[in-house]
Amino acid sequence: MSRISCDECSRADVLRAVAGRGLPAIEAGMPLPAGTGLSRRSFVARSLGLALSVYGAGRLNLFEEGIAAAASTGSSPILVTVFLQGGADALSMLYPEGDPLYRRLRPQLAVSGGTSFAEDNRLSWHPALAPLAQLHGEGKVSVLPAIGYDHPDQSHFTSRHFWEVGATDSSLLTGWLGRYLDAAGTIDNPLQGLSLTGQLQPTLATAKVPVAAIDGPDQYGFWVPGVWGDVETRMLDAIGTLGGVASSDPAFRSVANVTKQADRLRRQLDPFNGNGAITPPVAYPKSDDSFPKQLQGLAAMIAAGLPLRCVALEATGEYDTHASQATALAPALTTTAASLYSFQRDLEARGVADRVLTLVWSEFGRRAKENGSGGTDHGAAGTAFLVGSRAAGLQVGEFPGLASGLDQDGNVKATSDFRAVYAALLEQWLGFDAARIIPGAAKLIRPTLVK
Amino acid sequence: MGVPVYRGEFGVPQAERLLWRAGFGPRRGEAEKLAKLGLQRAVTSLVSPGGERFVGPAPHDSKGRPLAPADAWGHDHCWWLDRMVRTSRPLVERMTLVWHDWFATSNSGVGSQKLMLTQNRLLRSHALGSFERLLIDVTRDPAMLLWLNGTDNSKDAPNENYAREMMELFTLGADRGAYSERDVREQARSLTGFRNDWKRGLGDYNFHFDPRAHDTGMKVVFRKRGRYDWHSACHLCVSHPLHASFFVRKLWSYFVPVAPDHATQASLESLYRSGHQVRPVLNAILQHPAVYEGPRMVKPPIVHVAGLLRRIGAGVTSTDWAWIGSLSGQQLFYPPNVAGWDDSRWLDTATYRGRWIGVQRILQDRKLDPAKGTAPSDPAAVLKKALAFWNDPPLTDATRAALLQFAHAALADAGKQRWKQQQYPVLLENALRQLIAVSPDLQTS
């Protein structure tokens, strides 16, 4: 992680990396990320002494019916989001080989050796993204070469927050997909919003309905030292019994409720418990990072008919490449792209590829001109991909060029708006009125994202 | 009018609840001892505890090496957990945790365990003292200066970060009409002047006040004019007419899950106003009927774990507690943001499993070997033994019934097979230990 050097993020991110499972990327004074920690609203509520209960007490009798109902709609679409943390360099992922200014701005870091991007011959795919280029050739990838928003904010935390809440609004506390689940989800199905990162992803933060956080479907076991066989089976049943213990005390009941939900989740994920329980029909890249494993588990969960609606993951790698970008970026992109490719092939092999779209995003792109330490600083517009058999497969917005496409800070200007993409996904993919979810949706011009 | 005082029976259950709310739960015999003192003396023993002693062996990692809290990742968490487990002054430690949440500073933004420990000592030294003194020292604390950009805030380039949070989160509260956006900007000017240096390899150091970076001009704060500096910024907040109500409500919320009634709120405020001291307010809160007659609270994850270790007289013998803390939603020195942890949302499916793993970690070193089965084969007797392992925590009837139901079923599975009849009771006892510790009864107090 020594490659990170920006003062603002390096301390945070180095520690996070060491921690393995750090905190959401929050810096003091930045807008509060949705759903993480003590939100301003719940702070007020606590000051008033109100014990907020996320899951709504007394509704657990509906729990199993809710799961059953949701599971029976096994054809419902699933939206997966994959976050490239740190601000991935757009000018490397699809690099403007044909732009005469490219090598002048990137004397050390200009990428070469990739295949041409068929929709715009000024651009080429980073060699590490060859798997995505192949899927693009099959019409399964929509490329957004310069996505962002007006008046770009160059803070990781602020910009990420905007993307997470689906608005350039620092006070929103729920994620854009969290608000969708609040409106379209059920009170009894935590799997409808699944963070596959071991902690709640702010994009999925809800105000009303439950969502789940796990490391992976095969990592939700509940073993105990010195307990096995029949007794273990009975013990696992007893977790559900403890979850059903009645009480008039709200705090007691809230623990019982989450116990019940943990029990439900464990049962749902039980087929995946233990190493080797998931045998994917295709090979995934080998990596120390858990991203390929998580995608592999996700494909198995989808194929098993679990009631998933929105899923959030983080890609392999750390994209805040202030230094040594050339050596840092390639391996991260390699594993990420190869994993996404395997995921797509896996879904296809399992016959569920028509149900899944995956949005790959980052909080911003990077400065066009490289810096003095073999890296790039924070920029504006970035790259996003929409991957899936039902993706329209057509470029959204276009690369604005380096001659006239940079803003006064030397950053790439956006030619597509992330909020318009969200609105389009809600309407074209999830079949839900975006006006109820995205502030100012009426004014956004929706690109065609789904075929 | 004084603050209402609890007049009911003060027995072991009440003493136990007091020890949970004002500390990390009882060690063996502690609740009984406290009950004998009666309510008033029991609370006095907590708010004026005398010198600190540590009970039990010093902490170490799983290879027996001493902890390196200023340097090694995760050792900071374990170092503090150990204090919670072994201290003879549980309320001082609990209040240090309260201040860590109140003035929430995360090492994710500070990047120095050493500076975080310095802040931790500061919070502890003011744990039950003057709030104004605490605020002043926090304002110039290096970790806080880094966390909320205090040393980026200068005459020529004001940074509002600390000014806003000191009013919104530390002293006055948002949306109460206590301050305006202009007050935020003016307070930021008052707070200018802190500086520090940075050197590769050394990091941030040499925190100091540089008069040249301080804005000496006239400011208008809360409609008062003056050439305020950082000291006066603190004083202005603490003497603001809406500070006492904020302070009382927030402090109360750490000990009682429902808001105080108006009379209680008013008398606690007047108690606090006479000198901005924490101790008398705590003393009154901890004797209030709401602590003993009111609803339960979900224990914060670190309190749950520290309490389990105290219950069985165990110490910190592994650094696994850091990642287990993270899995459970509370890694010390890493609150999620400047507003601290969300005490209304400790539990979700992932953090529940984190708590399960914490209990598992305790039991891992203490599991009973089924091959040496000597457990009784009567369900009630096995449950009794498992409860005794945890020093007989009180259970609700419903939980006891659920555990007994499990015990019956598990032993019945043994059928007539001799080896099962020998081993199943032991497996059951291991399982019951786990279930007891994660039951709603032990996760709340």
Side-chain angles (χ1 to χ4, degrees):
Chain A
M1 299 310 298
S2 56
R3 67 179 181 275
I4 308 170
S5 61
C6 98
D7 236 8
E8 171 195 8
C9 60
S10 61
R11 295 190 295 252
D13 288 348
V14 166
L15 287 159
R16 247 195 303 281
V18 175
R21 57 173 68 258
L23 298 153
I26 306 158
E27 191 90 326
M30 298 300 171
L32 288 166
T36 51
L38 193 57
S39 67
R40 279 159 207 257
R41 188 182 42 189
S42 61
F43 165 71
V44 171
R46 193 186 65 180
S47 297
L48 298 172
L50 298 176
L52 289 186
S53 171
V54 182
Y55 298 129
R59 282 167 165 147
L60 279 169
N61 51 330
L62 295 176
F63 192 86
E64 300 195 12
E65 294 151 46
I67 294 289
S72 68
T73 58
S75 58
S76 56
I78 296 168
L79 182 60
V80 179
T81 66
V82 173
F83 177 41
L84 307 179
Q85 183 175 318
D89 183 34
L91 295 178
S92 290
M93 291 201 283
L94 279 145
Y95 63 95
E97 182 146 51
D99 196 310
L101 286 173
Y102 183 50
R103 268 162 212 288
R104 231 189 289 161
L105 291 165
R106 298 281 179 95
Q108 286 183 61
L109 293 181
V111 181
S112 61
T115 56
S116 180
F117 175 55
E119 293 181 76
D120 181 344
N121 60 19
R122 293 174 298 167
L123 299 176
S124 297
W125 293 90
H126 191 294
L129 294 183
L132 285 186
Q134 184 175 339
L135 291 177
H136 177 258
E138 297 171 19
K140 294 169 184 163
V141 177
S142 295
V143 175
L144 299 96
I147 187 169
Y149 50 95
D150 291 341
H151 311 297
D153 194 303
Q154 292 176 46
S155 151
H156 291 294
F157 310 100
T158 305
S159 199
R160 174 181 173 175
H161 176 84
F162 290 167
W163 278 79
E164 286 167 343
V165 302
T168 51
D169 177 345
S170 28
S171 66
L172 265 179
L173 296 173
T174 48
W176 72 284
L177 289 175
R179 287 197 301 284
Y180 161 69
L181 292 171
D182 274 337
T186 58
I187 198 73
D188 39 29
N189 172 23
L191 274 178
Q192 61 199 338
L194 181 65
S195 302
L196 267 174
T197 48
Q199 64 193 38
L200 176 66
Q201 287 296 301
T203 298
L204 292 174
T206 56
K208 293 182 208 146
V209 302
V211 290
I214 54 175
D215 280 321
D218 54 349
Q219 288 162 46
Y220 205 67
F222 287 83
W223 67 277
V224 172
V227 182
W228 34 260
D230 294 336
V231 179
E232 184 177 33
T233 307
R234 294 282 186 190
M235 176 192 76
L236 294 172
D237 287 343
I239 298 175
T241 317
L242 278 177
V245 164
S247 170
S248 59
D249 185 277
F252 189 102
R253 213 166 47 220
S254 75
V255 180
N257 282 354
V258 85
T259 306
K260 185 89 178 171
Q261 284 173 357
D263 175 57
R264 288 301 308 158
L265 194 59
R266 184 196 62 75
R267 285 171 198 276
Q268 289 178 314
L269 300 177
D270 193 45
F272 308 111
N273 191 18
N275 285 336
I278 297 167
T279 34
V282 301
Y284 278 79
K286 298 217 182 314
S287 169
D288 291 338
D289 187 70
S290 45
F291 181 61
K293 256 222 169 86
Q294 288 163 343
L295 283 177
Q296 179 180 318
L298 176 58
M301 292 167 79
I302 293 168
L306 293 182
L308 308 171
R309 283 170 179 256
C310 303
V311 183
L313 301 96
E314 286 191 14
T316 298
E318 158 61 57
Y319 293 86
D320 194 23
T321 48
H322 285 278
S324 314
Q325 172 167 307
T327 49
L329 196 56
L333 288 178
T334 300
T335 307
T336 296
S339 302
L340 288 167
Y341 179 86
S342 299
F343 181 57
Q344 174 63 25
R345 293 292 184 244
D346 192 349
L347 296 173
E348 288 168 7
R350 293 175 188 268
V352 291
D354 280 349
R355 288 185 53 208
V356 184
L357 276 186
T358 302
L359 175 68
V360 182
W361 65 281
S362 191
E363 67 265 43
F364 44 59
R366 308 193 73 79
R367 190 78 36 85
K369 189 173 169 21
E370 68 185 39
N371 65 20
S373 26
T376 50
D377 294 320
H378 300 182
T383 309
F385 302 106
L386 189 68
V387 186
S389 300
R390 297 278 310 278
L394 296 169
Q395 182 178 203
V396 175
E398 58 173 24
F399 175 63
L402 294 172
S404 59
L406 301 185
D407 64 17
Q408 73 280 4
D409 296 330
N411 296 323
V412 178
K413 288 191 230 171
T415 59
S416 60
D417 189 303
F418 74 100
R419 292 160 296 188
V421 168
Y422 288 177
L425 286 171
L426 284 164
E427 291 172 353
Q428 297 163 24
W429 183 240
L430 298 172
F432 200 86
D433 180 9
R436 292 177 60 190
I437 307 298
I438 305 295
K443 290 195 199 123
L444 301 168
I445 297 162
R446 278 67 153 169
T448 300
L449 293 177
V450 178
K451 64 176 171 242
Chain B
M1 217 181 69
V3 184
V5 172
Y6 173 67
R7 301 280 175 211
E9 186 195 353
F10 188 74
V12 173
Q14 289 76 20
E16 179 144 337
R17 179 173 273 197
L18 175 60
L19 283 167
W20 278 113
R21 296 282 171 92
F24 305 88
R27 273 195 286 258
R28 187 178 289 277
E30 226 168 27
E32 291 76 4
K33 238 164 78 184
L34 205 66
K36 286 204 185 93
L37 294 178
L39 173 66
Q40 199 191 336
R41 284 174 58 211
V43 171
T44 304
S45 75
L46 290 164
V47 298
S48 304
E52 183 168 33
R53 284 177 296 111
F54 291 106
V55 182
H60 55 79
D61 70 7
S62 50
K63 290 184 180 150
R65 296 171 299 203
L67 298 181
D71 300 304
W73 183 87
H75 287 219
D76 45 356
H77 177 99
C78 299
W79 169 84
W80 196 0
L81 173 62
D82 169 69
R83 294 189 70 106
M84 295 172 181
V85 173
R86 293 198 301 134
T87 184
S88 63
R89 306 192 303 175
L91 182 57
V92 173
E93 219 49 48
R94 187 67 188 260
M95 279 308 298
T96 308
L97 182 61
V98 164
W99 298 132
H100 180 41
D101 186 62
W102 190 303
F103 297 102
T105 305
S106 172
N107 196 33
S108 72
V110 174
S112 163
Q113 290 179 204
K114 200 168 141 239
L115 292 180
M116 292 302 291
L117 293 177
T118 304
Q119 187 190 68
N120 185 262
R121 273 195 298 278
L122 185 164
L123 300 177
R124 188 173 292 101
S125 71
H126 292 299
L128 289 93
S130 153
F131 181 80
E132 182 163 2
R133 200 63 240 168
L134 172 62
L135 179 67
I136 286 169
D137 281 351
V138 163
T139 301
R140 66 172 162 200
D141 168 64
M144 182 59 90
L145 286 171
L146 290 175
W147 172 237
L148 294 185
N149 306 106
T151 49
D152 296 335
N153 182 22
S154 70
K155 185 168 62 182
D156 302 322
N159 185 309
E160 297 168 6
N161 205 353
Y162 186 78
R164 181 182 302 279
E165 305 305 3
M166 89 184 287
M167 294 193 281
E168 177 176 339
L169 297 171
F170 304 163
T171 60
L172 297 172
D175 304 324
R176 303 176 68 220
Y179 59 91
S180 67
E181 283 299 311
R182 177 164 181 201
D183 291 327
V184 173
R185 289 194 298 272
E186 295 283 284
Q187 283 286 60
R189 293 177 56 218
S190 314
L191 290 158
T192 53
F194 289 105
R195 281 285 177 257
N196 75 283
D197 298 322
W198 189 89
K199 210 185 268 175
R200 193 167 284 280
L202 192 59
D204 294 290
Y205 73 108
N206 189 25
F207 292 81
H208 62 282
F209 183 84
D210 177 355
R212 288 166 303 172
H214 175 62
D215 181 340
T216 54
M218 189 62 72
K219 293 114 188 165
V220 181
V221 178
F222 310 142
R223 303 208 183 95
K224 283 179 249 175
R225 287 168 57 82
R227 296 191 184 277
Y228 301 127
D229 63 4
W230 66 277
H231 239 275
S232 22
C234 296
H235 184 71
L236 283 164
C237 287
V238 172
S239 50
H240 189 292
L242 287 176
H243 167 61
S245 52
F246 171 87
F247 174 87
V248 161
R249 199 171 289 184
K250 183 157 174 158
L251 185 66
W252 172 277
S253 76
Y254 287 102
F255 299 94
V256 184
V258 288
D261 58 63
H262 287 298
T264 297
Q265 168 84 27
S267 21
L268 287 172
E269 282 177 31
S270 70
L271 200 55
Y272 175 64
R273 276 206 191 89
S274 65
H276 298 127
Q277 294 291 318
V278 177
R279 185 174 278 105
V281 184
L282 268 180
N283 187 48
I285 291 174
L286 294 175
Q287 296 191 52
H288 195 279
V291 173
Y292 305 96
E293 295 165 351
R296 305 167 77 97
M297 292 179 90
V298 175
K299 294 171 190 168
I302 196 71
V303 174
H304 182 232
V305 158
L308 291 172
L309 292 171
R310 286 172 70 91
R311 266 200 178 286
I312 62 171
V316 170
T317 54
S318 152
T319 54
D320 289 345
W321 292 112
W323 61 262
I324 291 171
S326 166
L327 280 182
S328 317
Q330 193 176 32
Q331 187 181 354
L332 299 170
F333 302 104
Y334 293 84
N337 59 52
V338 63
W341 284 279
D342 185 348
D343 293 75
S344 67
R345 280 199 202 178
W346 284 122
L347 283 163
D348 59 38
T349 53
T351 55
Y352 174 84
R353 183 165 174 272
R355 292 196 188 210
W356 178 284
I357 290 170
V359 175
Q360 194 188 70
R361 185 65 192 79
I362 295 174
L363 296 179
Q364 188 179 312
D365 304 331
R366 297 167 177 84
K367 72 175 174 203
L368 302 165
D369 183 354
K372 299 178 196 150
T374 55
S377 51
D378 168 54
V382 182
L383 177 58
K384 193 161 181 263
K385 276 191 74 183
L387 281 166
F389 172 81
W390 292 115
N391 193 18
D392 293 313
L395 290 186
T396 56
D397 290 344
T399 298
R400 181 180 293 276
L403 294 173
L404 267 180
Q405 183 192 329
F406 158 53
H408 272 283
L411 293 186
D413 285 341
K416 296 203 183 311
Q417 283 184 266
R418 209 178 142 68
W419 72 269
K420 286 187 178 177
Q421 286 174 347
Q422 273 178 354
Q423 299 204 357
Y424 277 25
V426 184
L427 302 179
L428 172 65
E429 193 175 334
N430 282 329
L432 280 169
R433 289 177 174 184
Q434 175 83 28
L435 291 177
I436 290 165
V438 297
S439 69
D441 307 61
L442 269 71
Q443 291 200 48
T444 56
S445 73

